[in-house]
Amino acid sequence: MRSLVGLVSVVTAASLYLYSLSLYLPPGPRKHSNRTSDTNNADTEVSGEDGDEPSRLKFPSDLEELRELADLLQFYKTEHTGYVLLLFCSAYLYKQSFAIPGSSFLNILAGAIFGAYEGLLLACLLTTVGSTMCYLLSKAFGKHYIEKRFPDKVSMLQRKVEENQDCLFFFLLFLRFFPMTPNWFLNMSAPIVNIPITFFFGSVFIGLLPYNFICVQTGVMLSEVSSLDDLFSWERLLQLLAIACVALLPGALIRRYSRRRLKLDDATRNGVIPNEKKDQ
């Protein structure tokens, strides 16, 4: 009971902080309501007239909302870079720490707002720090509930960790590249199966690098592409090919290493979970 109260207190405090941070949103563009069919050029400009709807911040749930949020934050970033950075980092850590789905949209958003290099560095750091915070929260508050809710998955992971103690770091990398269990579950169960936090931290940063790279590059293209013709140009196709090669190379090396050193069953070696182990 004490652990549940502690977790609820942490979630509440973090939610209040994120909400209060959104209240300091600087003046920005407003969404126009289509009141008449005949609009002129003045109507399409950013304005603050009565009847216009102010832009609101919310976590994106599809590509259209993602594009709108990227445009809004790019508008703010020109004069309020520090605020946008703080808001983005806070929202990302909130999602990652409490294992809330949707971090892929934030990775794409990082590329759209901050560019390829800064966006990738930011995404990798936030993914790692947020996952580590989830690890610590689970260690402090969630051990009993996770073992009770997922007994089979925890016992399976515990067995694999014990079997691969001599090459534990590479085993953790393998789990990130070819997940036999979802990343959110691995973040929460890692302290329960006695994975050291140093190994955990390093494996998240390196293991999720290809995934973050793909998402950030997608965000960069999202901010640059204005039509389907731009997306299917030779330049974009070559860029996508290069992204795929860079992302697949680390996974290929880890797969080759796993065949020689890691103690995995055949299904796990191929990145496939047996039917009874798959998520519903």
Side-chain angles (χ1 to χ4, degrees):
M1 183 64 182
R2 182 180 302 176
S3 60
L4 180 60
V5 172
L7 180 60
V8 171
S9 300
V10 172
V11 173
T12 302
S15 300
L16 289 175
Y17 162 74
L18 195 60
Y19 175 73
S20 62
L21 186 61
S22 68
L23 295 179
Y24 290 93
L25 186 68
R30 292 173 174 266
K31 294 181 180 179
H32 296 274
S33 56
N34 296 326
R35 293 163 295 184
T36 58
S37 58
D38 52 341
T39 57
N40 52 32
N41 292 334
D43 290 329
T44 61
E45 295 176 356
V46 172
S47 66
E49 296 177 355
D50 295 337
D52 290 344
E53 300 176 2
S55 299
R56 297 179 182 275
L57 290 177
K58 65 176 181 177
F59 287 113
S61 58
D62 55 44
L63 286 178
E64 184 60 30
E65 291 182 356
L66 180 66
R67 187 182 285 274
E68 291 179 1
L69 183 58
D71 292 340
L72 177 64
L73 293 182
Q74 284 174 339
F75 175 87
Y76 288 133
K77 184 174 177 289
T78 56
E79 295 184 359
H80 305 282
T81 304
Y83 174 82
V84 171
L85 182 61
L86 177 62
L87 181 66
F88 179 82
C89 292
S90 300
Y92 199 112
L93 292 178
Y94 181 88
K95 267 186 171 288
Q96 198 74 16
S97 300
F98 301 123
I100 301 174
S103 60
S104 58
F105 281 120
L106 296 184
N107 286 338
I108 296 174
L109 192 61
I113 299 173
F114 301 103
Y117 301 108
E118 294 180 1
L120 179 60
L121 177 61
L122 195 60
C124 290
L125 288 176
L126 292 176
T127 300
T128 306
V129 173
S131 297
T132 305
M133 291 174 66
C134 184
Y135 175 106
L136 295 174
L137 286 171
S138 175
K139 184 177 183 179
F141 304 116
K143 181 176 181 180
H144 172 72
Y145 299 101
I146 295 171
E147 289 180 328
K148 185 177 180 179
R149 179 68 178 84
F150 307 102
D152 294 337
K153 289 180 177 293
V154 171
S155 61
M156 180 189 67
L157 183 60
Q158 179 74 67
R159 186 178 71 254
K160 292 301 180 183
V161 167
E162 292 173 353
E163 291 175 352
N164 293 278
Q165 278 293 331
D166 58 335
C167 50
L168 182 57
F169 184 75
F170 288 97
F171 173 69
L172 295 176
L173 286 182
F174 180 89
L175 292 185
R176 296 296 178 177
F177 282 117
F178 308 103
M180 54 187 287
T181 188
N183 281 315
W184 62 265
F185 177 77
L186 185 57
N187 294 343
M188 293 192 298
S189 60
I192 301 174
V193 298
N194 300 316
I195 294 176
I197 193 170
T198 51
F199 280 15
F200 177 86
F201 188 94
S203 65
V204 173
F205 187 89
I206 299 173
L208 293 182
L209 183 60
Y211 170 76
N212 290 335
F213 177 77
I214 292 175
C215 292
V216 169
Q217 290 296 326
T218 301
V220 173
M221 288 191 290
L222 181 69
S223 64
E224 296 175 350
V225 170
S226 57
S227 67
L228 289 177
D229 292 337
D230 295 335
L231 183 61
F232 292 105
S233 65
W234 280 108
E235 180 182 357
R236 294 298 176 195
L237 291 176
L238 291 175
Q239 187 176 3
L240 287 171
L241 179 61
I243 291 172
C245 292
V246 172
L248 291 175
L249 180 60
L253 295 176
I254 291 295
R255 183 188 291 272
R256 182 175 182 180
Y257 180 87
S258 70
R259 289 173 179 169
R260 293 179 295 147
R261 295 290 303 277
L262 301 181
K263 297 178 182 178
L264 306 167
D265 54 41
D266 291 336
T268 304
R269 286 178 185 274
N270 295 325
V272 179
I273 311 170
N275 290 334
E276 65 270 18
K277 300 298 183 182
K278 288 185 180 180
D279 292 325
Q280 300 300 324

